[in-house]
Amino acid sequence: MTVFDQLFFNSFDHYKKGTYKKNANTIAVYYITLVQMSLLLVLGVFFAEFFSKMHVVTMTSGKAWSLFVVVSIFIYFKNWMRYGGKKRRVLNALPKKKTNYNIWTLWFIPVVAVFLAFLFLKIF
């Protein structure tokens, strides 16, 4: 089980036990998509700034943002298919080491990643 699977199931379990029982899967899919998109943003900004300092012209800013949007849509559909039904039940049934994170810690991960992306943009 990957780190993203553990983060998904932690958020899914939290919302399943709370007041959003019917929408727990949808919220968890949005959450894991947001985490993956924010990590992609950090990597993209880092490499864009690194290549600009090395004077390597790879692609324009507009094309990079277009690529980010397309990859983000792909990530959402990948997560939607992976955690949507039978696969989620199979992954949930696998024996795993239980790690329980606070929901505030879980939502802090994408916030920190976006902060790092903006920090990379300002520093370089």
Side-chain angles (χ1 to χ4, degrees):
M1 189 181 283
T2 65
V3 173
F4 294 126
D5 291 340
Q6 290 176 357
L7 292 175
F8 173 82
F9 285 118
N10 276 319
S11 63
F12 178 74
D13 289 340
H14 173 78
Y15 288 113
K16 191 68 171 175
K17 293 175 186 172
T19 57
Y20 300 107
K21 295 178 189 206
K22 291 183 180 179
N23 296 329
N25 193 44
T26 305
I27 294 170
V29 168
Y30 285 145
Y31 166 73
I32 200 66
T33 302
L34 183 66
V35 168
Q36 290 174 349
M37 285 173 33
S38 62
L39 293 176
L40 178 69
L41 180 67
V42 168
L43 286 174
V45 167
F46 175 77
F47 283 118
E49 294 298 323
F50 175 75
F51 288 145
S52 72
K53 292 295 181 188
M54 297 297 291
H55 302 292
V56 176
V57 179
T58 54
M59 66 175 63
T60 64
S61 175
K63 288 182 183 179
W65 283 110
S66 299
L67 182 64
F68 176 74
V69 169
V70 169
V71 171
S72 298
I73 292 170
F74 172 76
I75 287 172
Y76 172 74
F77 282 115
K78 177 190 67 86
N79 289 333
W80 177 63
M81 290 174 54
R82 179 175 177 128
Y83 300 117
K86 186 176 180 182
K87 180 92 173 184
R88 177 182 51 87
R89 288 188 207 117
V90 169
L91 284 172
N92 200 15
L94 290 175
K96 57 187 174 278
K97 187 177 101 176
K98 205 62 166 159
T99 55
N100 291 329
Y101 298 111
N102 187 356
I103 194 65
W104 295 106
T105 306
L106 291 175
W107 282 104
F108 194 61
I109 294 170
V111 171
V112 168
V114 170
F115 175 74
L116 280 175
F118 285 124
L119 190 67
F120 284 155
L121 278 175
K122 297 294 180 190
I123 288 177
F124 295 113

